[in-house]
Amino acid sequence: MQNRKTIALFKRALTSPAEPNLQVRSIGESTILDAGIDTRGSLEAGILLARLCLADSATVRLTPANPDLLASDNSVYVRTDHPLVACLGAQYAGWPVQTDDFFAMGSGPMRMRRGKEEVLEQLQLIEAASQVAGVLESDKLPTPAAIELIAAECGVPSDSIHLAIAPSTSIAGSVQVVARSIETAMHKLHELKFDVRRIVSATGVAPLPPPAEPGNTVAGIGRTNDAVLYGARVTLWVDCDDKQIDAVAENVPSRSSADYGRPFAEIFKDYEYDFYRVDPLLFSPAVVTFHNLKSGRTWSHGSVETDILRQSFLK
């Protein structure tokens, strides 16, 4: 179901790709929407990529931001009433797509068809699908070998694969990554053993940084991650006992990590650019608020770090 819905959005984008500066490619019989590698892309393309990541189960839009607080004039706002499927089932970048000649972080509902990630198995977020859709974060187009790998992992023919792609240094790639504010909170809560199925609705907003210099992937990754770690604010509507929130609320924001407090590019360098060595507790929003539908109580923890955002965005 999630792949089918996402493919419908994907195919609508194919009807007028020039308007948001997209290019349509065919690689290994798959259909590729290039939103920032051989084309400049656009803000609208970034919103499209974010919606594809979220299995078209969330609203994504740009909103004004306070530059004195967030070091940016714009924010990426996300709202969903289907946070489990949208954020953990689809958006979480849990699939490193890697061959000898290609690497990308894979998102979107194609992960649910592949079904090999622990989080998907634990939350029963696996679905059958004859066609799949996904988003790749990379600075190069997928190779035929990468398409063959995706086809084999998902158990579908190559001509049933629909992919959108953009690097983190592009306009579209920046929007797509910054739209992950809710997803980072959801994943952090799952790591903290909170029952994320109790989350009913969610909103998230994070500042949109300026794109990094083309080719400077580390700077692009640094700025987009800083936008979430030090500038994102997420609100969750939950239905559970207060004690379940009490047990985790203070530890959800990024400041609970020992790596917190420096621009992400510096932290990334210290770990020799290996995401899997960075403290996983770092990847979460700056501020997280809970509204408990069961008791009427509210919890809010964390803070926006303006100085770090300025250091990251404006240097």
Side-chain angles (χ1 to χ4, degrees), residues 22-232:
L22 296 167
Q23 287 189 5
V24 182
R25 305 275 187 162
S26 179
I27 300 174
E29 297 187 308
S30 67
T31 304
I32 310 292
L33 278 176
D34 174 9
I37 296 175
D38 292 330
T39 180
R40 183 165 290 174
S42 62
L43 296 172
E44 188 63 33
I47 292 172
L48 171 66
L49 261 63
R51 291 177 61 194
L52 291 169
C53 280
L54 288 153
D56 202 20
S57 295
T59 297
V60 183
R61 58 187 174 91
L62 297 183
T63 59
N66 178 352
D68 294 331
L69 178 66
L70 298 173
S72 174
D73 291 312
N74 298 284
S75 290
V76 181
Y77 175 84
V78 182
R79 173 181 56 81
T80 181
D81 294 315
H82 309 281
L84 187 67
V85 168
C87 297
L88 293 184
Q91 190 182 28
Y92 177 58
W95 183 5
V97 179
Q98 185 168 8
T99 61
D100 291 340
D101 57 2
F102 181 75
F103 176 80
M105 294 306 299
S107 303
M110 67 179 181
R111 295 176 43 247
M112 300 173 68
R113 176 63 180 90
R114 177 175 178 254
K116 295 182 179 180
E117 297 168 42
E118 186 176 4
V119 65
L120 300 176
E121 294 173 349
Q122 291 173 343
L123 297 171
Q124 299 181 326
L125 293 171
I126 298 172
E127 71 168 29
S130 59
Q131 300 187 67
V132 297
V135 174
L136 301 177
E137 183 183 330
S138 179
D139 59 4
K140 61 181 289 189
L141 291 168
T143 60
I147 299 301
E148 289 179 10
L149 173 68
I150 293 170
E153 291 281 302
C154 292
V156 299
S158 296
D159 61 4
S160 295
I161 296 172
H162 307 75
L163 300 171
I165 187 167
S168 61
T169 54
S170 65
I171 299 174
S174 296
V175 173
Q176 181 270 123
V177 176
V178 174
R180 295 173 178 271
S181 53
I182 300 171
E183 175 252 290
T184 61
M186 297 275 294
H187 190 261
K188 179 74 164 285
L189 281 162
H190 182 65
E191 291 294 306
L192 293 171
K193 310 303 182 186
F194 179 84
D195 185 358
V196 291
R197 292 167 295 190
R198 295 291 186 174
I199 301 172
V200 177
S201 296
T203 62
V205 61
L208 179 63
E213 177 186 7
N216 192 344
T217 302
V218 172
I221 290 172
R223 288 181 178 182
T224 52
N225 274 273
D226 288 334
V228 175
L229 304 180
Y230 301 113

Side-chain angles (χ1 to χ4, degrees), residues 92-98 103-107 111 114 117 137 187 191 221 225 259 264 267-283:
Y92 177 58
W95 183 5
V97 179
Q98 185 168 8
F103 176 80
M105 294 306 299
S107 303
R111 295 176 43 247
R114 177 175 178 254
E117 297 168 42
E137 183 183 330
H187 190 261
E191 291 294 306
I221 290 172
N225 274 273
D259 284 332
F264 185 76
I267 299 169
F268 200 30
K269 181 179 180 181
D270 286 349
Y271 289 104
E272 299 177 331
Y273 308 111
D274 184 347
F275 263 109
Y276 298 99
R277 292 176 58 192
V278 180
D279 179 8
L281 297 180
L282 179 65
F283 297 107

Side-chain angles (χ1 to χ4, degrees), residues 287-298:
V287 179
V288 180
T289 298
F290 294 83
H291 298 313
N292 193 353
L293 300 172
K294 195 169 184 178
S295 69
R297 284 187 59 193
T298 290

